[in-house]
Amino acid sequence: MHSVGQIDLPTEFREVVRNGPKGSGYVLAKQGRFETIRGLFREPLLHFLIAGAVIVALGTLFDRSNKTGFNGNLIQVTAPEIQRLREVWTRQWGHAPDSSQMKSLVDDYLREDVLYREALASGLDKDDTIIRRRLVEKMEFLSQELASTAPSENELQDYFLQNREKFRSPKQVAFSHIYFSTSKRGANSEKDARSVLASLNAGSIPLASVSRLGDSFMLQSEYPLQTQQQIKELFGDEFARKLFLVDTGEWVGPIQSGYGFHLVRISQKLESRIPELPEVRNQVLTDFQNRRLQVVSQAFYDRVRKRYQIEIDKAALSAPASTQSTPMNPGTQDTLSPEID
C-alpha cells in the first residue's frame, strides 16, 4: 500500500493528513483519504487480484454446473459407434451381422470400455513401457497423416533432380568362374588353376568342356549382373575388388577367395550411371514419401516440444555408470537444470 508521501497530493493536503484534523483541515484530510483510495484502485496489482478472484469464482460455478449434468460412469454406445462396429464386421466376414451378432459386438465393446476405464482409474497406464510406446506410436502416426498423400508429378520430378546421385546405379559385371578347391587339392590348387588357364588361352580346351573343369562349387558357376557389394558378400572383398579390374571376354586368374582359387571370365560389364526417372520411379516415390514422413514428424515434434519446460539432471547424466542407479537425495533437486531450446 502507498504511504501518504507516495500519493500525488498537493503539499498542504499532505501536511493536513499527517497532523490530523484541525478545524477546516478535517475536510482536507477527508479529501486525502479519498485520493488514497482512488490511488489504490489505479494499482495494476489490485486489478490482477480482482480479475483472479472473478475467474476462480466463475470457474467454480461452471465446474459445479457441469458436475450436476455429468455422469462419470456413463457409457454411451452411440449410433456412429454401432455403425462402425457393423462396418468392421462386414469388412471382415463379407456380410452384415444379424441381430444376435450385433448384440455380441456391442457386449464386447462394453466389456472393453468398462475394463479400459477401470484400468485408467487404477493407474495401470502409468509407468508401463508398452503402453507408453504404443501411445508414442499413435502420436507419430497422427503427425504423419498429412504426409500420406501422393506427390504430384512435378513434386516427384523436382525431388529426383535434387537427389539424382542417390539413385545412381553402381558398376555391375556378369561372370563365369572355374573353381579349384584348396580343401581337395591343397597346395596344388593354385598350380592346377594356372595350368587350366594356359590351356584355355591356348584354345586346347573346347568351350563345351569348360563346365567340367575344376571342382564342384556349392554356389553358382555363372552369375548375371552383380554389383561389387553383392559379389563381396558371396566371395569376399579382395575377390570382388579384383574382379572389377578384369577386362571382358577373356579367362583370367587365378583369383583367390575364401573358398579357394578361381579362373574368371567377364561376359558383361555395365558402368555406373544415373538413370532416368521412369527407370527408378518406384524407388524415387518410396524415398520421397519416407523423407516427407521424417520432415513432417520432426516438425510436429519440434512444435509440441516448445510447450514443455525441459529439465535434465546434468550431474546424473555425466556420472559414471556405476553411480547412476543411486537414488537422488531430496536436497539435490537443484542439480536439475532447464534445457533451453
Side-chain angles (χ1 to χ4, degrees):
M1 179 179 293
H2 288 285
S3 65
V4 173
Q6 291 176 305
I7 299 178
D8 188 17
L9 297 175
T11 305
E12 61 272 18
F13 274 41
R14 297 180 191 171
E15 199 64 36
V16 170
V17 174
R18 285 196 190 99
N19 298 330
K22 294 178 182 178
S24 62
Y26 176 77
V27 177
L28 296 177
K30 194 173 182 181
Q31 292 176 345
R33 286 195 296 272
F34 177 71
E35 289 296 329
T36 302
I37 294 172
R38 285 184 61 186
L40 284 175
F41 275 102
R42 287 198 297 267
E43 281 292 308
L45 178 60
L46 184 62
H47 296 169
F48 175 78
L49 291 174
I50 294 173
V54 172
I55 291 172
V56 170
L58 289 175
T60 305
L61 227 92
F62 181 75
D63 187 50
R64 285 176 181 171
S65 65
N66 272 354
K67 284 181 178 178
T68 56
F70 174 72
N71 182 357
N73 295 325
L74 175 64
I75 299 178
Q76 293 180 314
V77 187
T78 62
E81 186 59 40
I82 291 173
Q83 182 61 24
R84 186 189 69 82
L85 294 173
R86 182 178 287 112
E87 289 174 355
V88 169
W89 171 281
T90 303
R91 284 196 301 270
Q92 183 175 357
W93 300 104
H95 61 85
D98 58 27
S99 58
S100 174
Q101 292 164 337
M102 215 40 238
K103 181 180 182 303
S104 179
L105 288 174
V106 171
D107 288 343
D108 289 344
Y109 171 81
L110 288 173
R111 178 183 178 84
E112 180 183 273
D113 203 26
V114 167
L115 295 179
Y116 170 70
R117 293 187 184 207
E118 285 301 306
L120 292 181
S122 302
L124 298 183
D125 58 318
K126 305 295 189 297
D127 301 321
D128 190 308
T129 303
I130 296 176
I131 293 177
R132 179 186 175 93
R133 288 177 180 170
R134 179 59 177 157
L135 292 175
V136 169
E137 288 174 0
K138 293 193 76 171
M139 285 304 298
E140 292 277 12
F141 176 77
L142 290 173
S143 71
Q144 294 172 357
E145 275 193 339
L146 292 176
S148 61
T149 57
S152 67
E153 191 62 31
N154 287 339
E155 287 177 320
L156 201 62
Q157 182 69 38
D158 289 344
Y159 183 79
F160 174 67
L161 293 176
Q162 293 168 13
N163 299 273
R164 287 170 64 89
E165 282 297 327
K166 292 181 67 173
F167 306 102
R168 175 184 289 277
S169 60
K171 290 182 178 180
Q172 299 178 73
V173 295
F175 68 99
S176 303
H177 72 106
I178 303 171
Y179 170 58
F180 297 85
S181 171
T182 51
S183 61
K184 289 182 179 180
R185 299 172 185 261
N188 292 325
S189 57
E190 183 176 6
K191 178 184 175 181
D192 293 347
R194 292 187 183 279
S195 175
V196 171
L197 178 62
S199 299
L200 285 170
N201 289 337
S204 58
I205 299 179
L207 292 177
S209 303
V210 169
S211 60
R212 296 193 293 270
L213 300 174
D215 302 312
S216 59
F217 188 61
M218 60 185 297
L219 301 176
Q220 301 167 227
S221 58
E222 294 187 8
Y223 285 86
L225 288 169
Q226 304 280 304
T227 66
Q228 186 167 339
Q229 179 62 33
Q230 290 172 319
I231 297 172
K232 173 184 174 180
E233 291 171 359
L234 294 173
F235 294 90
D237 190 21
E238 189 64 14
F239 181 92
R241 186 185 68 80
K242 290 182 177 179
L243 192 63
F244 275 79
L245 300 176
V246 173
D247 292 330
T248 304
E250 295 183 357
W251 285 100
V252 298
I255 299 177
Q256 189 173 12
S257 74
Y259 305 106
F261 290 90
H262 308 257
L263 300 178
V264 297
R265 177 180 177 275
I266 304 298
S267 57
Q268 186 181 3
K269 183 181 289 188
L270 290 182
E271 294 299 323
S272 174
R273 71 183 187 92
I274 297 178
E276 296 299 322
L277 177 58
E279 301 175 64
V280 288
R281 182 183 181 82
N282 290 338
Q283 184 183 347
V284 175
L285 178 60
T286 300
D287 196 76
F288 175 92
Q289 290 173 328
N290 289 339
R291 177 58 183 158
R292 188 164 63 174
L293 285 176
Q294 292 173 1
V295 170
V296 169
S297 180
Q298 186 61 40
F300 173 79
Y301 170 72
D302 291 341
R303 186 170 65 254
V304 298
R305 190 181 189 277
K306 292 178 181 178
R307 303 175 187 170
Y308 299 89
Q309 179 181 349
I310 310 297
E311 292 184 347
I312 298 175
D313 193 323
K314 303 293 186 182
L317 191 63
S318 58
S322 59
T323 64
Q324 286 186 0
S325 59
T326 304
M328 186 174 67
N329 293 326
T332 62
Q333 184 63 28
D334 58 353
T335 61
L336 291 177
S337 58
E339 180 182 308
I340 306 300
D341 288 332

